[in-house]
Short mmCIF file of all heavy atoms in Angstrom, two decimals:
data_model
loop_
_atom_site.label_atom_id
_atom_site.label_comp_id
_atom_site.label_asym_id
_atom_site.label_seq_id
_atom_site.Cartn_x
_atom_site.Cartn_y
_atom_site.Cartn_z
N MET E 1100 103.91 101.39 87.11
CA MET E 1100 103.52 101.77 88.48
C MET E 1100 104.29 100.93 89.50
O MET E 1100 104.74 101.44 90.53
CB MET E 1100 102.02 101.60 88.66
CG MET E 1100 101.20 102.74 88.11
SD MET E 1100 101.48 104.29 89.04
CE MET E 1100 100.72 103.88 90.62
N ASP E 1101 104.46 99.63 89.23
CA ASP E 1101 105.26 98.78 90.12
C ASP E 1101 106.69 99.30 90.22
O ASP E 1101 107.27 99.40 91.31
CB ASP E 1101 105.28 97.34 89.61
CG ASP E 1101 103.93 96.63 89.76
OD1 ASP E 1101 103.08 97.13 90.53
OD2 ASP E 1101 103.73 95.59 89.10
N LEU E 1102 107.26 99.65 89.08
CA LEU E 1102 108.63 100.18 89.06
C LEU E 1102 108.71 101.50 89.82
O LEU E 1102 109.64 101.72 90.61
CB LEU E 1102 109.08 100.39 87.61
CG LEU E 1102 110.51 100.89 87.40
CD1 LEU E 1102 111.53 99.83 87.82
CD2 LEU E 1102 110.73 101.30 85.93
N ALA E 1103 107.72 102.35 89.64
CA ALA E 1103 107.71 103.65 90.32
C ALA E 1103 107.62 103.50 91.83
O ALA E 1103 108.28 104.22 92.58
CB ALA E 1103 106.54 104.49 89.80
N GLU E 1104 106.81 102.57 92.29
CA GLU E 1104 106.62 102.37 93.73
C GLU E 1104 107.82 101.70 94.37
O GLU E 1104 108.20 102.03 95.51
CB GLU E 1104 105.37 101.55 93.97
CG GLU E 1104 104.08 102.29 93.64
CD GLU E 1104 102.85 101.42 93.74
OE1 GLU E 1104 102.97 100.19 93.98
OE2 GLU E 1104 101.74 101.96 93.57
N GLN E 1105 108.44 100.76 93.67
CA GLN E 1105 109.52 99.97 94.26
C GLN E 1105 110.91 100.57 94.04
O GLN E 1105 111.82 100.33 94.83
CB GLN E 1105 109.49 98.55 93.68
CG GLN E 1105 108.21 97.79 94.01
CD GLN E 1105 108.12 96.46 93.28
OE1 GLN E 1105 109.15 95.83 93.00
NE2 GLN E 1105 106.92 96.02 92.95
N HIS E 1106 111.05 101.38 92.97
CA HIS E 1106 112.39 101.89 92.64
C HIS E 1106 112.34 103.35 92.17
O HIS E 1106 112.75 103.66 91.05
CB HIS E 1106 113.03 101.02 91.55
CG HIS E 1106 113.15 99.58 91.91
ND1 HIS E 1106 114.16 99.09 92.70
CD2 HIS E 1106 112.35 98.52 91.59
CE1 HIS E 1106 114.00 97.78 92.85
NE2 HIS E 1106 112.91 97.42 92.19
N PRO E 1107 111.86 104.26 93.00
CA PRO E 1107 111.86 105.67 92.58
C PRO E 1107 113.28 106.17 92.41
O PRO E 1107 114.20 105.74 93.13
CB PRO E 1107 111.12 106.37 93.73
CG PRO E 1107 111.32 105.47 94.91
CD PRO E 1107 111.34 104.07 94.37
N MET E 1108 113.47 107.07 91.45
CA MET E 1108 114.80 107.63 91.19
C MET E 1108 114.65 108.88 90.33
O MET E 1108 113.62 109.07 89.69
CB MET E 1108 115.68 106.59 90.46
CG MET E 1108 115.20 106.28 89.05
SD MET E 1108 116.09 104.93 88.25
CE MET E 1108 115.17 103.52 88.90
N GLU E 1109 115.67 109.70 90.32
CA GLU E 1109 115.66 110.88 89.45
C GLU E 1109 116.24 110.49 88.09
O GLU E 1109 117.37 109.98 88.01
CB GLU E 1109 116.50 112.00 90.07
CG GLU E 1109 115.89 112.61 91.32
CD GLU E 1109 114.66 113.46 91.02
OE1 GLU E 1109 114.67 114.18 90.00
OE2 GLU E 1109 113.71 113.40 91.81
N LEU E 1110 115.48 110.75 87.04
CA LEU E 1110 115.93 110.45 85.68
C LEU E 1110 115.99 111.75 84.88
O LEU E 1110 114.99 112.46 84.77
CB LEU E 1110 114.99 109.45 85.01
CG LEU E 1110 114.94 108.05 85.62
CD1 LEU E 1110 113.86 107.21 84.96
CD2 LEU E 1110 116.30 107.35 85.50
N ARG E 1111 117.17 112.04 84.31
CA ARG E 1111 117.35 113.28 83.56
C ARG E 1111 117.44 113.06 82.06
O ARG E 1111 117.29 114.00 81.29
CB ARG E 1111 118.64 113.99 84.04
CG ARG E 1111 118.67 114.30 85.53
CD ARG E 1111 120.00 114.94 85.92
NE ARG E 1111 121.14 114.13 85.50
CZ ARG E 1111 121.60 113.06 86.15
NH1 ARG E 1111 121.00 112.67 87.28
NH2 ARG E 1111 122.64 112.38 85.71
N ASN E 1112 117.73 111.83 81.65
CA ASN E 1112 117.96 111.55 80.23
C ASN E 1112 117.05 110.45 79.69
O ASN E 1112 117.35 109.83 78.68
CB ASN E 1112 119.43 111.12 80.02
CG ASN E 1112 120.40 112.18 80.50
OD1 ASN E 1112 120.51 113.25 79.90
ND2 ASN E 1112 121.11 111.90 81.59
N THR E 1113 115.93 110.25 80.38
CA THR E 1113 115.04 109.15 80.04
C THR E 1113 113.63 109.64 79.73
O THR E 1113 113.10 110.48 80.45
CB THR E 1113 114.98 108.13 81.21
OG1 THR E 1113 116.29 107.62 81.46
CG2 THR E 1113 114.06 106.96 80.87
N ILE E 1114 113.08 109.12 78.66
CA ILE E 1114 111.66 109.30 78.34
C ILE E 1114 110.93 108.04 78.79
O ILE E 1114 111.33 106.93 78.44
CB ILE E 1114 111.44 109.51 76.83
CG1 ILE E 1114 112.08 110.82 76.36
CG2 ILE E 1114 109.95 109.48 76.48
CD1 ILE E 1114 112.11 110.96 74.84
N ILE E 1115 109.86 108.22 79.56
CA ILE E 1115 109.01 107.08 79.92
C ILE E 1115 107.72 107.20 79.13
O ILE E 1115 107.04 108.24 79.16
CB ILE E 1115 108.73 107.04 81.43
CG1 ILE E 1115 110.02 106.71 82.19
CG2 ILE E 1115 107.66 106.00 81.75
CD1 ILE E 1115 109.85 106.55 83.68
N MET E 1116 107.39 106.14 78.42
CA MET E 1116 106.19 106.11 77.58
C MET E 1116 105.29 104.95 78.01
O MET E 1116 105.70 103.80 78.00
CB MET E 1116 106.58 105.92 76.10
CG MET E 1116 105.40 105.85 75.14
SD MET E 1116 105.92 105.37 73.46
CE MET E 1116 106.92 106.77 73.00
N GLU E 1117 104.06 105.29 78.42
CA GLU E 1117 103.13 104.24 78.82
C GLU E 1117 102.22 103.90 77.64
O GLU E 1117 101.89 104.75 76.82
CB GLU E 1117 102.32 104.64 80.06
CG GLU E 1117 101.53 105.93 79.95
CD GLU E 1117 100.11 105.75 79.45
OE1 GLU E 1117 99.69 104.59 79.26
OE2 GLU E 1117 99.45 106.77 79.22
N THR E 1118 101.84 102.62 77.60
CA THR E 1118 101.02 102.13 76.49
C THR E 1118 99.63 101.70 76.95
O THR E 1118 98.92 101.00 76.22
CB THR E 1118 101.70 100.92 75.82
OG1 THR E 1118 101.73 99.83 76.75
CG2 THR E 1118 103.10 101.24 75.39
N GLY E 1119 99.22 102.13 78.17
CA GLY E 1119 97.96 101.65 78.71
C GLY E 1119 98.15 100.27 79.31
O GLY E 1119 99.26 99.82 79.54
N GLY E 1120 97.03 99.60 79.60
CA GLY E 1120 97.13 98.21 80.05
C GLY E 1120 97.10 98.01 81.54
O GLY E 1120 97.81 97.17 82.07
N MET E 1121 96.27 98.77 82.27
CA MET E 1121 96.12 98.59 83.71
C MET E 1121 95.06 97.55 84.04
O MET E 1121 95.06 96.92 85.09
CB MET E 1121 95.74 99.93 84.36
CG MET E 1121 95.78 99.93 85.88
SD MET E 1121 97.46 100.00 86.51
CE MET E 1121 97.76 101.75 86.39
N LYS E 1122 94.14 97.33 83.10
CA LYS E 1122 92.94 96.56 83.36
C LYS E 1122 93.25 95.15 83.88
O LYS E 1122 94.01 94.41 83.28
CB LYS E 1122 92.11 96.45 82.08
CG LYS E 1122 90.71 95.91 82.29
CD LYS E 1122 89.89 96.02 81.02
CE LYS E 1122 88.48 95.56 81.24
NZ LYS E 1122 87.66 95.69 80.01
N GLY E 1123 92.65 94.80 84.99
CA GLY E 1123 92.77 93.47 85.54
C GLY E 1123 94.05 93.24 86.33
O GLY E 1123 94.24 92.17 86.90
#
């Protein structure tokens, strides 16, 4: 989320996979 807010960009060849972990 920090990366998305600070450095938005168009990605055509990238998979983003989240692993959870927002708590706290």
Side-chain angles (χ1 to χ4, degrees):
M1100 279 294 292
D1101 289 344
L1102 182 68
E1104 291 174 355
Q1105 298 172 31
H1106 302 279
M1108 67 187 84
E1109 291 289 320
L1110 295 174
R1111 303 177 306 280
N1112 302 291
T1113 300
I1114 295 170
I1115 292 184
M1116 179 189 295
E1117 57 91 5
T1118 66
M1121 190 75 82
K1122 192 172 184 179

